[in-house]
Each structure stands twice: as C-alpha cells, then as structure tokens.
Amino acid sequence: MLFPSVTCPKMLLYLSGQSPVISYKGCAAQLFFYHLLGSTEGCLYSVMAYDRYVAICHPLRYMLIMKRGVCVSLVTIACSVGFLHATILTSFTFHLVYCASNQVDYFFCDLPAVLPLACSDSTLAQKVGSINVGILALMFVFSISFSYAHIGIAILRIRSAEGRQKAFSTCSAHLTAILCAYGPVIIIYLQRTPNPLLSALMQILNNIVSPMLNALIYSLRNKEVKRSLRRVFHSLAEVFRN
C-alpha cells in the first residue's frame, strides 16, 4: 500500500489534466521514499523466504526459531537497510548541481530520469547508484535462492504427494510475488542502454500492477477465494458457450 502511494497520486494528477509540476524538494522526497520502500520490500521478501525455509525444513522448531523478538529484529533490519540505501542514493543524486533543463522526462523522479538533468559530472552518482542497486539485488537473490534451495531439497524428501502439495502451496504465493516484483526491476536497472518506453512500461508494472496483484496472489491460498473464482470462471464459460 505504501510503495505505490509514492508515485501514483502525482501520476493521477498528471492524467487528470492538472499541473505536472513537482518541486525540487518534492522530487528528492519522491526518489528517497521510492527507494526506501522498494528496498525494504526486497528485504522483507528475503525475510519471508527464510520464514518459509524454517516452516518447511524445521517445522517442529518453528515457534522456537521465529519468536516475536526475532521477527521484530528482522523487520527492523529490513527497514534500516532500506533507509541506508535510499539515503545514499538521494545524497549522491541531489548533491549535484542542476542548472540546465528542469523537465523530468518521466512520470516520477528516479535516478535514470534525474541524473541526466545535472550540469555537473554525474559519473560518480551513476556508478554509486548502479553498484548500490546491484549489491542489494545480489543479496536478495542469494538469500532467497539459498532458502528455496533448502526448501526444494526438503520437499523432494517428502514421500506423500499430499505433503509435497501442501509444502508447495506454502511457497507458491511468495514465489509469484517475487517474480512480479523483481522481474521489472531487473529489466529497468540492468539495461546497458536504457530504453525510455520499456523503462516506463516496466515501472508502471512494478509500481501499480504488482502491488495490486499481491492481494490476489496471497488470497488465492484461501479455499473460499478459490471456490469463488472457480464459480466466476464457470459462469463466464457458460456465457461464452451460449
């Protein structure tokens, strides 16, 4: 809910025909909170992967390992990492001098859109941004891959089909959410030659579509929601047949 609220309200104002102007401080705040909430979300996905790992690989010790204090500590670390990441990027970006064009050719303030407007050398800020985002992405991918590698081994050791299906259903929603969140980010920030149209489409997918799908993805584990969706699809099928 918080992540799309950084960019969507301003974008809706643009689309409704109101002034597209954003102040210098507003632009800095938008960039800061975008990376703060985005990187915190990435950390929380890693925490959730660890939670699944403990639930499947050590079910009898789950309540002992994932105590309230541990959960609070993990969330605090995730928020701290996000704050540090956003502070570094915002500091390097807005430490530059902006004296030329002040038109952000994008629907919100982000590094690829803001850095080209600087009239001082932005090479260092670009390198720091790429390294910072790259290191965080590698950390997230490594931690999630480590957890799911152990989960996969544990699932293969389960003999009953019912047990495997239950273990898989525990992870399916989380894996789907990860693909929806990380897919667009990888495409946006790892392009050698940025494509403005592709980047804009991926940002819309990342900022609006993925957060909107999260509620549906996680609720699909609920049996009542599944039954309701089956009824809807069955009704639609009947309508098309007639």
Side-chain angles (χ1 to χ4, degrees), residues 39-77:
S39 53
T40 300
E41 183 183 20
C43 287
L44 290 176
Y45 279 131
S46 297
V47 171
M48 290 168 72
Y50 176 70
D51 177 76
R52 266 63 172 179
Y53 158 72
V54 176
I56 293 173
C57 298
H58 305 285
L60 299 179
R61 298 172 56 200
Y62 179 81
M63 295 304 296
L64 182 65
I65 296 172
M66 299 301 292
K67 293 183 292 187
R68 183 180 179 85
V70 173
C71 294
V72 171
S73 299
L74 289 172
V75 172
T76 303
I77 290 169

Side-chain angles (χ1 to χ4, degrees), residues 9-213:
K10 196 70 179 174
M11 184 180 69
L12 291 173
L13 287 175
Y14 304 159
L15 295 175
S16 65
Q18 297 188 38
S19 173
V21 175
I22 185 169
S23 66
Y24 179 82
K25 291 181 179 179
C27 187
Q30 199 174 58
L31 189 144
F32 175 81
F33 284 106
Y34 177 77
H35 284 277
L36 167 67
L37 296 170
S39 53
T40 300
E41 183 183 20
C43 287
L44 290 176
Y45 279 131
S46 297
V47 171
M48 290 168 72
Y50 176 70
D51 177 76
R52 266 63 172 179
Y53 158 72
V54 176
I56 293 173
C57 298
H58 305 285
L60 299 179
R61 298 172 56 200
Y62 179 81
M63 295 304 296
L64 182 65
I65 296 172
M66 299 301 292
K67 293 183 292 187
R68 183 180 179 85
V70 173
C71 294
V72 171
S73 299
L74 289 172
V75 172
T76 303
I77 290 169
C79 294
S80 300
V81 169
F83 180 80
L84 181 63
H85 168 72
T87 301
I88 291 171
L89 291 189
T90 307
S91 299
F92 273 89
T93 302
F94 289 93
H95 182 70
L96 301 171
V97 178
Y98 293 89
C99 54
S101 172
N102 61 356
Q103 183 175 349
V104 178
D105 190 20
Y106 217 42
F107 67 94
F108 76 101
C109 292
D110 196 15
L111 297 179
V114 175
L115 288 177
L117 302 178
C119 54
S120 55
D121 187 13
S122 63
T123 306
L124 179 61
Q126 288 175 344
K127 287 181 178 178
V128 169
S130 299
I131 292 169
N132 210 3
V133 171
I135 289 174
L136 267 185
L138 285 174
M139 286 171 57
F140 297 157
V141 169
F142 176 78
S143 60
I144 292 169
S145 301
F146 178 83
S147 295
Y148 274 103
H150 284 79
I151 289 170
I153 294 169
I155 290 175
L156 290 174
R157 289 176 180 170
I158 299 173
R159 295 182 180 180
S160 67
E162 185 182 353
R164 287 185 180 183
Q165 186 177 0
K166 186 177 179 181
F168 179 75
S169 67
T170 304
C171 305
S172 58
H174 182 238
L175 283 171
T176 307
I178 287 172
L179 289 174
C180 290
Y182 284 158
V185 172
I186 290 170
I187 294 171
I188 293 165
Y189 290 102
L190 296 185
Q191 295 179 86
R192 287 192 175 182
T193 52
N195 184 322
L197 179 59
L198 179 63
S199 296
L201 290 173
M202 289 299 104
Q203 285 287 15
I204 290 172
L205 182 64
N206 185 44
N207 294 357
I208 302 171
V209 179
S210 295
M212 183 180 67
L213 288 176

